[in-house]
Amino acid sequence: MNILLIGSGGREHALAWKLAGSPSCDKLYAAPGNPGIGENAELVDLDPRDHAAIVCFCVDNDIDLVVVGPETPLVDGLADSLHVADVAVFGPTAKAAQLEGSKGFTKELCSAANIPTAAYERYTSKADAIAGLADFKPPFVIKADGLAAGKGVIIAETHDDALAALDDMFGGGFGDAGASVVIEDFMTGEEVSFFALTDGIDVVAFGSAQDHKRVGDGDTGPNTGGMGAYSPAPVLTPALEAEVMAKIIKPTVKILADKDMPYSGVLFAGLMLTESGPKLIEYNARFGDPECQVLMMRYQGDLAQLMQATANAMLSKAPAPVFLDQTALTVVLAAKGYPGTPEKGGTICIGDVGNALVFQAGTTLNDGQLVANGGRVLNVTALGANASEAQSNAYAAIDVIDFPTGFCRSDIGWREVEREKMSK
C-alpha cells in the first residue's frame, strides 16, 4: 500500500522507520518530515493545516492510508477531510479527538461513564476559578482546557501560586487553550502511560511506558514535552492493565460510540497508580513523544497492516500486537535553553551508535550539515535485557554523538533501574 505520514518530529521518525520496514508498505511519503524521516520516506512539501492540498496529494498519488502523527491536525479535523474524500486515515475525527483537545470534555465524559479520575471543576472565567479554589486543597492542579503543546498543566503548591497560574492562563499565557481551565484534586502515586488501538468497536492493548517530564536529573526543574522514556513499564502489572482496559479504555470507546463520535486510532492514557487503583490523568489522541520511540523499538508486527485494519474497522481480523521481551529506552538530546528558548543552529555529528537508533526530532540541514532546529533535537534509543542494560546502551550511544550545544538528563529510567537493583 501507499502511505502518507503527517508530522516532523521524533515520534514521526520512529513511525516512519517502522512503517518503511512493514512488508505491506510499498511507498511511504512524509509531510513535511525532517532529515531523519527523509532516510525512510520521500518528503513532500505539504502543510498539515492545508487539508485540501493533502487530499489532492492523496488522490493524485493513490494513497491507501494516511497516518497522522501530531495531535493538532487531528483536533483540526484532518481525518474528517480525508474521510470525505474516501481516504483511509489512522487517527480520530475532530469530535473524537476532543479527548485531547479539551480536558473539560474528557472530564465530563469520565463522569458520564463512571471512569475513575480526579475530582474536578471546569471554569470559563477567572473570577469563578479563583472562587473555586476554595473547594480544593493544595497542591492545586490547574490545567488549560485546550491544546498547549504538553505544557498546559501547572501544579501550584500554594494559593498564591494558584492565583498566579490562573492569571497566566486567563491572561493568554497559553493562547486560546487557556480560555477555560480545569482545576482538579492532586493525585498521588506513580504515573504510567498505557496505549491501546481501537477502530471504534474493538480494542487491543499496545504496550506501556514511563516518561520523564522534568528537564533535570532527579525529576527537577520545569516540565517539558518529555526528556526520555522506557517501555515496558513493569509497575503496570498484567492485573492492573486488565483493570485499566475494563474500567477506563473500553468504557471510553463505548461512550464515544454511543455519542455517535466513534474513536479510531491510538488511545494514549496517562494514568496515576493510586492506592485505590489506576485513575485517568488525561488522554492523548496520538502516540506519545518520546513514548512512541520505545514502543516502535519493541513492536514486532507489520505496523502498516495493523494501522490499515484500525482505519478500516477491521481490527478484529488483524494479528494481535507482539512485542520484544526486552526493554527499550530513549534519551532526548535537547538544545541548550530548552524548555525555554532553545539555541538553534548547533552542529550535529552522529557517529557509530552500534545497535542503537537515533530518531531525529528538531533537526534540519544547513549546506548539507545536520543542525539543531528545535528544542528536543535527537532521541537516542536502545534495547536491553532490562532497564539497566537498555539505559547503559543508550548512554553509550550518546557518548559518540557530537552535539556541543545539546544536553540530556543522565538518569532516564531511574525508577525501574532502582527497582532492579533492589530486587537483586
Side-chain angles (χ1 to χ4, degrees):
M1 72 182 86
N2 296 330
I3 301 173
L4 172 64
L5 172 66
I6 303 294
S8 61
R11 166 184 49 225
E12 288 75 36
H13 189 182
L15 290 173
W17 169 72
K18 185 58 71 172
L19 286 168
S22 297
S24 60
C25 178
D26 296 313
K27 177 69 177 182
L28 178 63
Y29 300 93
N34 66 39
I37 295 172
E39 297 174 2
N40 302 112
E42 179 179 328
L43 303 186
V44 290
D45 186 18
L46 290 172
D47 186 339
R49 296 170 296 183
D50 191 341
H51 296 192
I54 291 173
V55 169
C56 286
F57 178 87
C58 291
V59 172
D60 291 344
N61 292 274
D62 297 321
I63 297 299
D64 301 292
L65 176 68
V66 176
V67 177
V68 184
E71 64 275 17
T72 301
L74 293 169
V75 174
D76 191 40
L78 178 56
D80 303 75
S81 298
L82 290 164
H83 288 158
V84 170
D86 201 26
V87 178
V89 55
F90 181 85
T93 63
K95 284 185 177 180
Q98 288 180 93
L99 278 181
E100 180 164 4
S102 171
K103 295 177 180 65
F105 171 86
T106 299
K107 283 292 190 178
E108 290 162 7
L109 202 74
C110 288
S111 294
N114 199 29
I115 294 169
T117 188
Y120 78 100
E121 289 291 342
R122 186 183 190 183
Y123 303 96
T124 57
S125 78
K126 185 170 76 170
D128 288 343
I130 290 173
L133 289 174
D135 297 326
F136 297 87
K137 297 178 180 178
F140 304 94
V141 181
I142 303 175
K143 299 180 176 181
D145 185 45
L147 292 179
K151 300 174 184 177
V153 179
I154 295 176
I155 309 298
E157 297 292 340
T158 68
H159 190 269
D160 285 344
D161 291 339
L163 292 177
L166 292 173
D167 278 341
D168 190 26
M169 288 190 182
F170 283 107
F174 294 90
D176 292 341
S180 64
V181 304
V182 169
I183 302 177
E184 63 181 46
D185 282 344
F186 181 81
M187 294 189 289
T188 58
E190 191 162 343
E191 289 189 39
V192 65
S193 301
F194 178 72
F195 300 84
L197 302 184
T198 178
D199 58 9
I201 303 169
D202 293 294
V203 187
V204 296
F206 199 80
S208 64
Q210 283 190 296
D211 75 334
H212 300 261
K213 291 294 187 189
R214 300 283 186 173
V215 73
D217 285 1
D219 294 325
T220 58
N223 272 329
T224 72
M227 294 299 292
Y230 61 94
S231 173
V235 68
L236 189 70
T237 63
L240 287 174
E241 182 177 311
E243 185 177 348
V244 169
M245 286 288 280
K247 295 183 177 180
I248 298 177
I249 303 296
K250 290 183 177 180
T252 299
V253 173
K254 183 179 185 304
I255 192 171
L256 285 172
D258 291 344
K259 289 179 174 292
D260 197 27
M261 52 179 78
Y263 190 101
S264 176
V266 60
L267 263 181
F268 167 10
L271 306 170
M272 184 70 76
L273 303 182
T274 73
E275 290 184 353
S276 58
K279 293 186 178 182
L280 180 70
I281 301 172
E282 63 183 11
Y283 271 126
N284 292 306
R286 36 70 189 183
F287 284 108
D289 188 347
E291 292 94 340
C292 183
Q293 289 82 317
V294 289
L295 288 173
M296 292 303 115
M297 282 287 281
R298 295 184 57 235
Y299 177 62
Q300 291 299 287
D302 185 327
L303 184 65
Q305 180 187 57
L306 183 60
M307 286 182 160
Q308 186 183 48
T310 303
N312 292 329
M314 299 288 286
L315 189 57
S316 64
K317 300 185 182 302
V322 176
F323 293 87
L324 285 174
D325 188 22
Q326 289 180 284
T327 297
L329 185 143
T330 189
V331 180
V332 170
L333 275 167
K336 290 179 180 178
Y338 181 77
T341 303
E343 182 177 334
K344 295 186 178 182
T347 60
I348 304 165
C349 182
I350 301 172
D352 182 2
V353 295
N355 292 326
L357 292 177
V358 180
F359 296 118
Q360 296 182 31
T363 62
T364 191
L365 290 173
N366 186 1
D367 292 330
Q369 170 67 55
L370 190 67
V371 299
N373 191 44
R376 293 184 296 169
V377 180
L378 303 176
N379 311 141
V380 184
T381 312
L383 291 167
N386 51 31
S388 301
E389 184 176 298
Q391 182 192 65
S392 177
N393 291 340
Y395 282 105
I398 285 174
D399 287 341
V400 302
I401 296 175
D402 184 18
F403 179 24
T405 60
F407 75 96
C408 66
R409 281 182 56 164
S410 66
D411 64 346
I412 298 301
W414 69 266
R415 293 182 188 87
E416 195 55 32
V417 170
E418 288 299 314
R419 279 191 280 261
E420 290 172 358
K421 288 178 180 178
M422 292 176 63
S423 68
K424 290 182 179 179

